[in-house]
Amino acid sequence: MSGTVYVPADAAALALGADAVAEAISREARRRGMDVCIVRNGSRGLFWIEPLVEVATSSGRIAYGPVAAADVPALFAAGLLDGCEHPLRLGRIDELPYLARQRRIVMNRVGIVDPGALDDYLAHGGGRGLDRARRLQPADIVAAVIDSGLRGRGGAAFPAGIKWQTVLAAPAGQKYIVCNADEGDSGTYSDRMLMEGDPFGLIEGMAIAGLAVGATKGYIYVRSEYPHASARLAATVAVAADWLRDQAVDFTIEVRKGAGSYVCGEETAMLESIEGRRGLVRAKPPLPAIAGLFGQPTVINNVVTLASVPAILAEGAAGCRDHGVGRSRGTLPFQLAGNIKYGGLVEVPFGHSLRELLHDFGGGSRTGRPLRAVQVGGPLGAYLSEAEFDTPLDYEAFAAIGASLGHGGIVAFDDSVDMARQARYALAFCAAESCGKCTPCRIGAVRGVELMDQLRAGDGSRIELLRSLCDTMTHGSLCAMGAMTPNPVLSALDHFPEDFA
Amino acid sequence: MNALQEPDLGTPAPQACADGVSPPLTLRIDGIEVVVPSGTSVMRAAALAGVAIPRLCATDCLQAVGACRLCLVEIEGRKGYPASCTTPVEAGMAVRTRSPRLAELRRNVMELTLSDHPLDCLTCAANGDCELQDMAAAVGLREVRFGLSGANHLAEPRDDSNPYFGYDPAKCIVCYRCVRACEEQQGSFAITAAGRGFAARIVAGASSFLESECVSCGACVKVCPTATLIERTAVAAGSVERVVETTCAYCGVGCGFRAELDGPPDAPTIVRMTPSKRGAANLGHACVKGRFAWGYATHKDRVTKPMIRDRIADPWREVSWDEALRHAAGEFRRIQRQHGRDAVGAIVSSRCTNEEDYLVQKLVRAAFGNNNVDTCARVCHSPTGYGLGQTLGTSAGTQTFASIAHADVIMVIGANPGAAHPVFASRLKRRVRAGARLIVIDPRAIDLVDAPHVRADAHLQLRPGTNVAVLTALAHVIVTEGLMDEAFVAARCERQSFVDWHNFVARSENSPEALAEASGVPAAQVRAAARLYATGGNAAIYYGLGVTEHAQGSTAVIAIANLAMATGNLGREGVGVNPLRGQNNVQGSCDMGGFPHELPGYRHVSDAATRACFERAWGVELPPTPGLRIPNMFDAALDGSFRGLYCQGEDPAQSDPDIGHVKAALAAMECVVVQDLFLNETARFAHVFLPGSSFLEKDGTFTNAERRISRVRRVMPPLAGMADWQVTMALSEALGYPMNYGHPSEIMDEIARLTPTFAGVGYDKLERLGSLQWPCNDAAPEGTPTMHVGGFPSRPDGKGRFMITQYVPSDEQATRKYPLLLTTGRVLAQYNVGAQTRRTANLRFHAEDRLEIHPHDAGERGIADGDWVGLESRAGATELRAEVTARVQPGVVYTTFHFPESGANIVTTDSSDWATDCPEYKVTAVQVSRRTRPSAPAERVP
Amino acid sequence: MNPVKLIRMANRIGGFFAAMPDREQAIGDVASHIARTWEPRMIRDLRAHMVNHGAAGLSDIVRAALARLPR
């Protein structure tokens, strides 16, 4: 008796005991004299059923979850390897509604392939984008990316192809591709899941970017809080070096680890950090596309943006362009977090409403109480009230209500939340994470926390000064960190004034 | 802004594009049309249009960073409020710098800044000279609505470790100017910010400024917009009432300085000395010596009364100027009557002004009636004068300092600019950080070899005394590997001299392989360096006393000129042959006729036409034969044919080699007249002491290593009542040869009339242009930044001359008795014999000379770091403490000569350059042995 | 002046020019260098030493050069 069992090695699954489950399966199989191949895949992103064990059967991959190590003997007894019935059996994985209702394009191999196996990657459609790119002129690769409508998934949503075009046109002896893997927004994890679950997809995207703009060197800047992703990347980069060389692609990648600074996810601070300096934000211009890493033209995109590129080359720009609404084309892997019943990764085209995500996917709050507020786009994103839950998930629609989609992180709160406390937290976060270069952010955040303390202690007269401070930070700060910190503060103040009374 | 402050346009001028042209753009600022080069910031464009935009972190000597957020503006068609310092202009842009909205934002930003700043303006040392104060007023801030009870840094401890400036973090507004100045201007990277966000604080090193990499250049202090970093003298003094622009009197870089003064003109207090942005040599940068170590000028040791005595064993007797001068003149005339006209002479000082040097040589030639005048350049750069004169036709460096920004390969030979020419070193390091390749040829691993942010591509660590072997081997590679610039050589150089040289260097005995044993440099390193120099683009050579102060000093200078000609590295920016002059006016003292064989402008005394010209002007007959050089004067003193010396601003009894010999010669003379600030070592042998005047006490000019003539301006009256030029005039009058100059400008006018290369120089023009590089005449009315552009005008047919440079080993060779080679040099904080710097707080940085010895040699002798050691050569013996370090190679020891008590020059010998008699300070065979001293070493440290 | 020193100085001047291929030119250059840089009493004393003690220690090229110097 033999079989293949999938136990995710994704950090979220590990946190829920996936290693113990894998160990138990191995032990149980040995005990039963069975030849079981355990593949440590990425996560499917359905965290309430992690650790999620899948078994390859003739009728597809059958899911069991959430599995505890203690469940394993019983699962074997019930016929796990044949996909037999058991109370933890969830059925065919791809028929789970949470997954079936998604449109997974960039995350399409995550949770399916063995992330360490290049052949598995290639067997699941990997490499075809690079293959095509190798036969194109740089300008044609750039044109395909422009045509796809792909916008940067890190938060700023700048058209990726236009950025590449600028770098392509900039004359220089050396250009760089920098992958921003400093995914620091609270409640976000799509970059991490991709790096852990499909790292070759990122490598391929970077290599294509290199061919497109004439860069031969790439850096992945990964946050130190992602040790598993970091280890996975290190191993993958070593394998990919041979793969790229075999295809005569002159492109090498170096992985650089951050040191726990949120602001190093800001692209210019990240460049400083890679260059070995303090993570201070640089003034722009010059744009990094003109003078970026070591003063050279540099493409900076985040993980999901770069990993979106191979499919665009392989399947054509339409595969991206034909999804979405308005100027928001393609899909975005949203990440449901916070007080939500079914937290996890939801990759859908732009245009769905926030409510659909919160209720149809998320199933409402985990506590069962009504959802009161949602923060979209990380710690600097606005808090939205129930009245705004029907806003379509579209960059422009969100901007119109003073909010941002950012990196697609959605953090839900039920009606027990104290929004004044949340506003204070936003300022405290800024105070803790500010790089300290510009005055409004460096001092303003601290003054903001002090004002919030006075306010919460009952001095309502401080609201006027708080708003004035927010104005100074919004319009005076050097980078988005200081400029966006007022978003959660002001939205909390505007949408939930009763909490500040 | 206060009218005494230097103008500040906020951001630097844009760098020219790759093609050298920055196309001008037109834009409107507050409705005013402005035309500026592309790349200009909006802030600078506004300043040029007369529109001041509030700012704190921006200053035009540093790259803009956009940190303070005070300079926000509105730009038509753009969202938001971009910072004008980091926003480049665009054609057609319409900028608004004033609006109610901008006023509100700026006020609110300023309010945040002041919410973490002590509001103690009235008692602050920067009151009235504080940019923060100015800006708070400019934005109209009236209250800090946050109150003053919030988080702040007001209780942070001060750092008063540096003797010259204090750091008070309580006043710091974290504008990062100091951090940037340390990086961009100085290149020390000693200052950084630690912590982030509100906790971001400026720190130096791990603990304090004194313990950090800080070299006390003062750049951070100068740019600090508050009293956070402030000179101790500025804290002690009142506010600045007036400013006098002058030129530093330390090294040959010749930095422009602003003496900031308080009090009445006849007794001013110097609030501080700050480097001037108008100084073309330094562009607003300075080093610890010029910036801070000027306290010697008013030190209690200054002698301000003339003194005489009959015998050197007698005590000094204070007398009037008149009596002192009459006594001196009487003695000189008596000696001449008794021992002949040629029995007296003078030494002119490379520390004094051109005008003063000119007067002293004029006194010797016209009043003494001989050519016995020499300059202390004799003992430093006389081989430069000879070597460059013979090959290129002009006894001077070929470039401006600014030229280094265009160099692709920089070769530093026998120079340690980080210590001796620090302001130039900063430029050099900046260029290396920007990608230029660096070759260092030096027996020691000087800082440039491997320091944070700078690393040499090659370090040819030769044995002392083998420069010519290495330089000739470099030429061998260039010639035999076909790396020459044939077109340059064909067009610009003498054919026959080239052929002779080519045949010589191509010989196998001159190959790197053949010379490796002598020089100790592996042949492969020499070959690689030669290829890099010859083929790496613009290649510039900078050299110092490690080249000249050798038995083959002149030969090495010639070899350097040969290399530059062979590779076509002359006559444009980024290349050239650049002697780094040790003293402020070495160049000038040579230019002014300070050598015994040359009249001003390097014209030989045997030239009848030149003599006739001076004879007419001076009304005397001039001797056509050379006079005595300094070492010859001492030799002649010992044989009785030279008995009277007028020694201005030099201390040969400490600075010259083989001091035992020098002292014996001085003691043998009948009249030694010393003119100096202090009773120096030579004054022990003097019969007349004439008080000197510091550079702060007189008008005149200095000429730096780039041939740049800069004004020295009187900051205070001479402490002794007379400036040096007035003293020389009075002495001449007492000798019966009156000179009549009302002001040093009149002396310069005479120099210009009599010297073709100075024909266009005058104080009016210097006033107008700031400085001038000679030659300056009708052909080049505003001076000559780069020499030899189209030819070598002082050479016959305008052609450069190659000369053969046969390596001859020095007489100073390691032997059984003296198995080590001693070489000498300087440190940053001390200056030459230390007469000035030892009388300042620079002692905190360097309090004694030490002998650097390699661990191998130290181990063999049982010497540990800090041990007292005896140092002995065939000339003499002394004692000092050892520093065991691998900076020196085995077999080589090194020391400095700043302290008379360690007496490095007791040990150096009479070996000297064949052509100029420049002493071979850089090679002395010595023995070193461990000493146990009864006194604890610490007792000796001042 | 000290003849040992003068002889050493003269020989070192000779040493530089001796490397030149044209011997006549080299002798002339040595003579010219001495004439242009030495104070007359140095030349006088060196000559006096030669008269009294012979030219021992002086290199050939220096001897030839000294012969060319005007009296």
Side-chain angles (χ1 to χ4, degrees), chain B residues 613-924:
Chain B
C613 163
F614 282 93
E615 284 170 343
R616 264 196 310 280
W618 295 349
V620 294
E621 196 179 320
L622 295 174
T625 50
L628 291 167
R629 298 183 287 207
I630 292 171
N632 312 145
M633 290 181 192
F634 295 139
D635 292 342
L638 286 171
D639 80 1
S641 66
F642 186 83
R643 293 170 185 251
L645 177 68
Y646 172 29
C647 180
Q648 185 182 69
E650 194 186 349
D651 191 8
Q654 191 187 342
S655 66
D656 283 22
D658 194 1
I659 282 173
H661 173 77
V662 172
K663 288 181 173 175
L666 287 167
M669 293 190 207
E670 293 172 13
C671 180
V672 173
V673 178
V674 165
Q675 185 174 353
D676 207 285
L677 303 182
F678 304 104
L679 276 173
N680 57 19
E681 296 296 303
T682 306
R684 295 175 194 276
F685 303 90
H687 306 82
V688 179
F689 187 91
L690 303 176
S693 51
S694 80
F695 78 114
L696 297 169
E697 296 159 35
K698 56 201 181 189
D699 282 297
T701 55
F702 291 152
T703 305
N704 77 351
E706 330 159 87
R707 296 166 277 106
R708 184 183 301 284
I709 306 160
S710 303
R711 276 282 271 118
V712 179
R713 291 185 182 83
R714 195 173 109 151
V715 167
M716 57 175 70
L719 296 193
M722 278 209 274
D724 293 321
W725 61 276
Q726 292 168 308
V727 174
T728 303
M729 255 171 62
L731 179 61
S732 188
E733 177 148 14
L735 285 162
Y737 182 81
M739 301 176 179
N740 293 300
Y741 304 100
H743 188 271
S745 65
E746 296 169 18
I747 305 173
M748 182 54 84
D749 291 342
E750 178 174 317
I751 296 166
R753 274 198 305 279
L754 295 171
T755 314
T757 42
F758 282 70
V761 180
Y763 277 32
D764 289 349
K765 198 185 279 184
L766 284 169
E767 215 56 56
R768 186 159 46 83
L769 299 176
S771 61
L772 284 167
Q773 287 174 277
W774 68 257
C776 175
N777 45 34
D778 287 347
E782 299 203 341
T784 309
T786 306
M787 301 278 286
H788 315 309
V789 173
F792 299 95
S794 301
R795 294 278 316 146
D797 303 327
K799 302 267 191 181
R801 174 195 187 190
F802 284 88
M803 292 175 83
I804 287 173
T805 56
Q806 173 77 52
Y807 165 63
V808 180
S810 169
D811 290 345
E812 289 293 313
Q813 290 292 328
T815 61
R816 275 169 69 97
K817 190 168 180 200
Y818 301 116
L820 303 172
L821 291 179
L822 168 73
T823 187
T824 61
R826 294 203 248 155
V827 295
L828 171 66
Q830 297 292 346
Y831 184 77
N832 285 4
V833 297
Q836 294 149 302
T837 46
R838 280 187 283 110
R839 291 184 170 91
T840 68
N842 278 23
L843 284 173
R844 290 280 298 277
F845 305 118
H846 184 87
E848 62 175 337
D849 296 323
R850 288 209 178 193
L851 184 79
E852 290 185 6
I853 183 166
H854 190 272
H856 172 80
D857 296 325
E860 274 190 343
R861 291 163 175 77
I863 295 167
D865 200 60
D867 279 354
W868 283 97
V869 294
L871 176 66
E872 188 186 349
S873 74
R874 63 182 169 88
T878 187
E879 288 179 336
L880 67 174
R881 290 206 287 166
E883 178 181 347
V884 179
T885 169
R887 266 197 297 276
V888 289
Q889 52 189 306
V892 175
V893 291
Y894 168 90
T895 190
T896 52
F897 51 91
H898 305 304
F899 291 83
E901 50 271 41
S902 44
N905 284 324
I906 295 168
V907 182
T908 51
T909 70
D910 64 352
S911 176
S912 65
D913 175 46
W914 66 268
T916 66
D917 258 1
C918 178
E920 188 165 44
Y921 290 105
K922 300 296 182 183
V923 195
T924 307

